Amino acid sequence: MKKYSKSIILILVFLITILSVNAINSDPFNKLKTVAQLVRYIYDYYVEDVDMDRVLNGALRGMLEELDPHSSFIDAEDRESIDEVFRGDFEGIGIEFAIIDGYVTVISPIPETPSDRAGIISGDKITKIDGESAYKISQKDVVKKLRGPKGTKVIVTIARLGMDEMFETTLVRDKIPIRSIASSFILNDNVGYIKVTRFSSTTFDEFTDAIVELENNGMEKLLIDLRNNGGGLLDQAIKMTDLFIASNDTIVFTNGRIPGSNSVYKAKKKWSDIDIPIVVLINGGSASASEIVSGAFQDLDRAIIVGERSFGKGLVQRQYELQDGSAARITIARYYTPSGRLIQRKYDDGLDEYYLNENIDDTTAINQKKYYTKSGRIVYGGGGITPDIIITNNDVYEESTRKVYFHEDRLLFKYANYIKLNDTIPKTYHLLINEFNINQKNFFKWLQDNDIEFNIDHLSKEQDWIFISKRIKAELANTMWGRNYYYKALIQTDKQVVGAINQFDFSEELIKKNNKKLIERY
């Protein structure tokens, strides 16, 4: 039995003694006597030796989960990995990888990191780490072996497609950014596209850097993709939104019961405010900070929101450090959009129903309370953000198509590397997307040669083959020109993106109305 667990037992027994004196039934801390009693029974009588550390952590986790879906317990072991996501960096070599055929396979080197500087490329397989075999290594052990303090060294042995012999390279670990901006580029001559995947401490800086680069490349309109962005830091969402709000309007406000939990966050009118038309993409995976951005843009008539109803996570957590190195995130307030809409949706039916995201149907406003934007447009409450233009992304593909796409060995990535070696690939992105065709018969033969089970009739269906071939092209673009071109290739046939691009006239109308009101005001 761990010393930690024995100490907990002694502390809880002590609490029983203290709380037994002048115990008051209405005192919530009185229940600690029962907790301590139960811990003692488990410790003394359970049929096997018990890891009390794990049991007590489970109890703490359950206590917080009973409050709401987003109050949570973080044990000490998980603190660093969770904190680094919000901090926006870690120390290591800088690769995106997957375990394919038992080997650590580089999906993409992260730009300007040790792996990138050493010339590691997409498709490389790491066969040894510091002289030890990396075959069939677990994801957890890969992270453990490749990460380490900045300035320390790790030797990796690389097997590269097209090379007969493996080679070693020594990498000096460094700070590796966890980027919030997955990609940014110009679409359709003058439409800038930015995909934001999270809101960490570096998001605003990354976003402004992307804006400057896009403006230098001729951007006149902006499409912000917040789909599947689960949120993050409030201040980053507010700063991003404020870039485009040429007034002193409220961006978001919070309401709680303790001092410091009631706040109003306003935009600051600046000469540098950006006044180009904006469209924002959201879906059921857009939550929290993503909903603050999209809700503020919608309520202030600054952007058109396109896609599917967002998740509906509008609870504010504050993290409290605990004495053993663990932490508790406790909900202290609720978020509201400028018009007064509560972002949080109901969670009375339990966590299973809540996380299945069975939200109110996007196509109906029945039983939803009406709110009004700055110009008087009607928007709806009920949790989450309902888009101005609803475009669902619910294409259904055959089972065999799904199995090939989601295969654990990343078949489309592997095939892209295969044809890169065995076919003549166009030297420009434009030619790859518009003139190069993925040979269906060759792909099917490759699947058969690799003992992959599939239904040829399913994969041959027009919709399914377009889906598969477009993603092979995206993987090719990634291996040849990097992650930005991967995303650029993917969204060519993305109907939500295509639909969003058609809404810029609507967005321009909103800007004209806002400017007219400003002129009238003065």
Side-chain angles (χ1 to χ4, degrees), residues 409-421:
D409 283 337
R410 296 193 64 150
L411 298 177
L412 305 188
F413 172 81
K414 285 178 67 176
Y415 187 67
N417 279 278
Y418 170 80
I419 59 176
K420 182 181 174 183
L421 235 121

Side-chain angles (χ1 to χ4, degrees), residues 88 177-182 200 202-211:
I178 302 175
R179 295 193 62 80
S180 303
I181 307 302
S200 69
T202 63
T203 301
F204 178 72
D205 291 338
E206 290 180 48
F207 188 81
T208 52
D209 288 345
I211 289 287

